[in-house]
Amino acid sequence: MASLRLYIGLFLGLAISLEWALVLGAPVISHISKDVVASVNDTVEFNCTVEEVGQLSVSWAKRPSESDTNSVVLSMRNILSLPDQRYNVTVTEGPKAGSATYTFRIQKIEVSDMGPYECQVLVSATEKVTKKLSLQIKTPPVIAENTLKSTVVTEGQNLELTCHANGFPKPTISWTREHNAVMPAGGHSLAEPTLRIRTVHRMDRGGYYCIAQNGEGQPDRRLIRVEVEFRPQIAVQRPKVAQMVSHSAELECSVQGYPAPTVVWTRNGGPVQSSRHHEVANTASSSGTTTSVLRIESVAEEDFGDYYCNATNKLGHADARLHLFQTVIPVPSWS
């Protein structure tokens, strides 16, 4: 029944307002509060002063967004339209006849309260006088979910990493490198929303932090992993290995490349297979280097000669020659 009486009262008020609009001069909104910036849980207050208001109905309304023409009426005159305990509306008569200030107050504001608000004077069934203000609420930065978490680039290409973040005030974006490593262009940070690396090198691979901050709450950060594809490269510390017959010998090569190369040992144009006489062991390190060791358990005369360490990935191939030769004294293993 209370709700019914409220709506009947509003309807009668609207009817009276339309009748008065035909008698009095056109109403004018002479003042409205400026745009408001506040934090969550603050109390905000909007004021709207109307001249020549007479018995016209003055409302506060909220629009979902700047581009949305529809609005939700929050109050009519000094009556709330929505039963929200955080809302309060008061009407203060002005010093001039026919002037009044309509004050709308929101306590303990929430993020959902953000947006444009309108003071509306209903002149007729199809006409109204309006002025609006905007309520902006300070919110901590949050990096957008569509920001990359990893990417792969081929050595020699250019790379751009862009980071977006939401929040108010608008967050600033900066970049640092994992473990505080030096950035590709030098220094330890870059204050730009886009990280550009020209002619990417394999040394540029690793983790990069996108950091968003706006002075509200804690900065948000996102780690983006960069992998750099490059063709295999082989390093050999001992290209010539000496050993005596009937003693063990080891030939070793270190391989780098991404994706991780396949490593194969060959001799006389054919692969060297693991057996009781030959053993091939490949060990990958955290730095992306694969160490390949060919061990000959008991060197025979026919084992002396050239061996090749071969590495292949989708970007290319590399090989290195190692030579095993005979000596008259045994040589200790380096493993």
Side-chain angles (χ1 to χ4, degrees), residues 86-157:
R86 300 178 303 126
Y87 294 168
N88 177 262
V89 61
T90 56
V91 180
T92 306
E93 298 292 332
K96 291 190 202 175
S99 169
T101 297
Y102 297 78
T103 301
F104 191 79
R105 185 180 295 107
I106 309 175
Q107 296 179 318
K108 295 182 179 179
I109 60 171
E110 303 166 357
V111 174
S112 59
D113 294 320
M114 184 167 57
Y117 288 76
E118 271 188 351
C119 176
Q120 303 177 345
V121 184
L122 216 57
V123 178
S124 70
T126 58
E127 184 183 357
K128 59 185 175 182
V129 178
T130 67
K131 277 193 177 180
K132 67 177 181 177
L133 60 85
S134 179
L135 171 60
Q136 294 282 358
I137 299 177
K138 295 179 182 179
T139 53
V142 177
I143 293 175
E145 282 300 317
N146 60 358
T147 300
L148 284 176
K149 294 182 180 178
S150 64
T151 188
V152 179
V153 61
T154 301
E155 190 170 44
Q157 292 182 340

Side-chain angles (χ1 to χ4, degrees), residues 37-216:
V37 176
S39 299
V40 172
N41 287 325
D42 282 355
T43 295
V44 295
E45 190 174 279
F46 311 144
N47 291 309
C48 177
T49 301
V50 183
E51 311 293 338
E52 302 291 344
V53 64
Q55 294 298 312
L56 295 175
S57 179
V58 178
S59 303
W60 277 103
K62 183 178 185 298
R63 287 162 53 184
S65 66
E66 291 287 349
S67 59
D68 201 322
T69 56
N70 296 320
S71 59
V72 177
V73 176
L74 305 175
S75 68
M76 294 184 71
R77 295 203 185 106
N78 62 345
I79 301 173
L80 291 174
S81 304
L82 293 178
D84 192 321
Q85 294 183 351
R86 300 178 303 126
Y87 294 168
N88 177 262
V89 61
T90 56
V91 180
T92 306
E93 298 292 332
K96 291 190 202 175
S99 169
T101 297
Y102 297 78
T103 301
F104 191 79
R105 185 180 295 107
I106 309 175
Q107 296 179 318
K108 295 182 179 179
I109 60 171
E110 303 166 357
V111 174
S112 59
D113 294 320
M114 184 167 57
Y117 288 76
E118 271 188 351
C119 176
Q120 303 177 345
V121 184
L122 216 57
V123 178
S124 70
T126 58
E127 184 183 357
K128 59 185 175 182
V129 178
T130 67
K131 277 193 177 180
K132 67 177 181 177
L133 60 85
S134 179
L135 171 60
Q136 294 282 358
I137 299 177
K138 295 179 182 179
T139 53
V142 177
I143 293 175
E145 282 300 317
N146 60 358
T147 300
L148 284 176
K149 294 182 180 178
S150 64
T151 188
V152 179
V153 61
T154 301
E155 190 170 44
Q157 292 182 340
N158 297 332
L159 174 65
E160 287 191 359
L161 297 177
T162 301
C163 189
H164 299 285
N166 301 313
F168 186 81
K170 183 179 178 180
T172 59
I173 303 294
S174 61
W175 296 86
T176 61
R177 202 166 176 182
E178 195 175 23
H179 310 305
N180 203 32
V182 176
M183 299 288 285
H188 290 276
S189 65
L190 174 70
E192 295 285 345
T194 300
L195 171 63
R196 294 180 175 87
I197 306 176
R198 305 200 179 279
T199 315
V200 172
H201 188 270
R202 69 199 64 174
M203 297 299 293
D204 299 327
R205 59 185 170 174
Y208 293 82
Y209 282 106
C210 162
I211 303 171
Q213 49 193 336
N214 66 354
E216 289 293 311

